[in-house]
Amino acid sequence: MSKIKFHPSEELLVNYVSGQLNAALAVVVGTHLDMCPRCRSVVHDIEVHLATRELHQTSPMAEPELAAMLESILASEAPMVAPKSAPEENIILESKSFKVPPSLGRHASRMGPWSKMPGGLWRAPLELNADERMHLIYMQENASVPEHTHRGSEATLVLDGVFSDEHDEYRDGDFIFLDATQQHTPHTTDESCLTLAFLDAPLHFTSGVARLLNPFSSLFFR
Amino acid sequence: MQVMPEKRNTRQYMSTVRREPQEMTPEHLGQLLAEVAKSRSRIAFGELFRHFAPRLQSFATRQFGNEQTAMDLVQETMTNVWHKAHLFSPEKGSPTTWIFTIARNIRFDILRKNKHRQNDVSAEDLWPVLSEEMSDSDEEFALDKNILLQEIGEYYLQLPDAQREVVEQIYIEGKSQQEVSDTLGIPLGTVKSRTRLALQKLRELISEQN
Ligand SMILES: [Zn+2]
């Protein structure tokens, strides 16, 4: 596998480990972790650090309370766990099949249908619940996303292929995080690209005809 | 019966000595977890409990600002430690880290339960800590997980007793293969082969019906 150049910030990984991220963003970060041994090792260090820090102090607990809780745990039945099906390994778009990491594959059943958008783009929603969702975005060869800014932040993970913007080129495993002040124009050339994208507010298109899309951007991208 | 209480007392005495923080090394905590996993040792678990419960209580009180919810987190976390100690592996990290990740997941689920969302994700979907798929690298078992409970339906009732027992415990009670082996007092290999045979039979039964 090619070398990953772009990684989530340490702050994002700390929020991931402590369970503070929007769940959809956590899936995007988790999928990057499946692809990135470097960040897996950073996450492990963060876990050790947080565990030591968070489980350092003790709260006094009354002896009868402690003893009663211990008794009830020892007498408890094993928690019921419905067996989980193995994560889906592939995502299908028309005749193409993409192998995806388990952190994404575990949610494949929540994926909505693909819809074709202007400019050689395909998009499928993946909804964890009414408030937390992400999208799979497929850019065919020579496709482009109109220039836009975000009212919130945008996280994009390259699952397969390559895309570029005015700053750089992004390949399998690259994780790009943009805040509301940054704008960019993603496009592909002779290779197509499948990404997983998280937005915490609708896109705002800034140029040309695409501005006409603004009233609908919530339909397109959320 | 004469010997046991004496042994117990010695252990309890030792555990009060060991309760000093500097004595609770990751190695010692790991040994306790291994004893719980292997022989369901209530004494080893008691020692783990007395070490971790007040720490989890402190963590959870800071998180929730509510003592009752904090106690729920302590109880739920330590219940998982009692029943799932076999999922801990020292190669992956220290006992404190493992227990912290369990508590983190339970905190996440408690916070989301209050939102009453339908079909919401659970922490285990995001950070699998207690899922067997993480600890069991056995290829065949991984394959077997493709069979869903609803697919099994009533078919499992038609299995021979020995196979049905194993399938019930794994797919209905949610036990690991190791737990089934401990409960039934049969070797792990036998559990695996019975599961395999049962699933083979189930696949036949299901395809016959369709
Ligand atoms: Zn990385």
Side-chain angles (χ1 to χ4, degrees), chain A residues 27-97:
Chain A
V27 171
V28 182
V29 172
T31 307
H32 172 80
L33 292 173
D34 286 350
M35 303 172 87
C36 183
R38 171 198 176 270
C39 287
R40 277 204 300 277
S41 130
V42 175
V43 158
H44 183 258
D45 292 347
I46 294 171
E47 281 175 354
V48 171
H49 176 79
L50 287 184
T52 315
R53 195 185 73 189
E54 296 295 335
L55 298 183
H56 178 70
Q57 284 176 36
T58 57
S59 269
M61 291 174 84
E63 179 52 35
E65 259 177 1
L66 266 178
M69 194 189 282
L70 177 57
E71 273 315 301
S72 105
I73 291 171
L74 291 174
S76 67
E77 298 274 320
M80 292 271 239
V81 192
K84 294 214 155 109
S85 49
E88 199 64 55
E89 285 188 5
N90 295 292
I91 277 178
I92 310 289
L93 168 59
E94 294 200 319
S95 60
K96 290 180 270 289
S97 168

Side-chain angles (χ1 to χ4, degrees), chain B:
Chain B
M1 285 310 279
Q2 287 286 55
V3 184
M4 284 306 287
E6 233 178 67
K7 241 180 147 177
R8 204 188 154 106
N9 286 339
T10 321
R11 274 309 285 264
Q12 273 178 347
Y13 167 72
M14 281 170 66
S15 70
T16 45
V17 175
R18 281 176 187 171
R19 221 178 294 157
E20 295 302 318
Q22 66 269 28
E23 297 288 334
M24 276 295 184
T25 60
E27 290 73 28
H28 179 59
L29 292 169
Q31 276 160 16
L32 294 173
L33 276 173
E35 277 176 57
V36 172
K38 214 172 79 192
S39 55
R40 314 293 294 140
S41 164
R42 301 164 81 91
I43 294 161
F45 181 75
E47 205 177 323
L48 285 166
F49 179 80
R50 283 173 190 284
H51 176 74
F52 282 108
R55 290 162 202 276
L56 290 165
Q57 177 73 19
S58 168
F59 163 69
T61 308
R62 289 196 304 278
Q63 296 290 326
F64 298 120
N66 171 323
E67 208 169 302
Q68 186 51 52
T69 315
M71 296 251 307
D72 293 346
L73 180 140
V74 179
Q75 177 143 6
E76 219 178 307
T77 304
M78 293 310 293
T79 300
N80 276 302
V81 173
W82 171 234
H83 291 288
K84 305 275 177 179
H86 63 277
L87 294 177
F88 169 74
S89 90
E91 299 92 64
K92 282 195 226 145
S94 76
T96 303
T97 307
W98 185 63
I99 290 172
F100 170 72
T101 57
I102 297 174
R104 180 263 323 267
N105 283 12
I106 287 165
R107 168 192 168 276
F108 180 90
D109 287 339
I110 289 177
L111 288 173
R112 291 174 86 90
K113 234 177 259 164
N114 300 333
K115 298 202 171 168
H116 303 289
R117 291 189 184 116
Q118 278 198 340
N119 188 27
D120 199 1
V121 273
S122 71
E124 277 292 315
D125 297 328
L126 300 175
W127 305 273
V129 177
L130 297 172
S131 304
E132 312 281 336
E133 72 179 74
M134 293 303 287
S135 68
D136 199 332
S137 56
D138 187 38
E139 274 293 304
E140 278 161 332
F141 189 49
L143 263 183
D144 295 343
K145 296 228 162 188
N146 284 322
I147 294 225
L148 289 168
L149 196 56
Q150 52 265 46
E151 289 178 65
I152 292 177
E154 305 268 76
Y155 295 116
Y156 75 93
L157 295 172
Q158 299 175 40
L159 295 171
D161 286 351
Q163 292 175 19
R164 200 198 62 236
E165 207 173 21
V166 170
V167 165
E168 268 175 2
Q169 299 206 0
I170 292 178
Y171 287 90
I172 298 170
E173 296 171 28
K175 287 189 180 152
S176 68
Q177 291 189 321
Q178 183 61 57
E179 284 171 328
V180 176
S181 145
D182 296 343
T183 316
L184 299 178
I186 52 176
L188 183 60
T190 311
V191 176
K192 289 192 182 196
S193 61
R194 281 187 195 169
T195 314
R196 197 160 47 235
L197 288 171
L199 290 169
Q200 221 167 0
K201 179 83 185 155
L202 280 169
R203 285 197 187 101
E204 285 166 23
L205 288 169
I206 292 168
S207 62
E208 263 172 37
Q209 290 294 316
N210 295 341

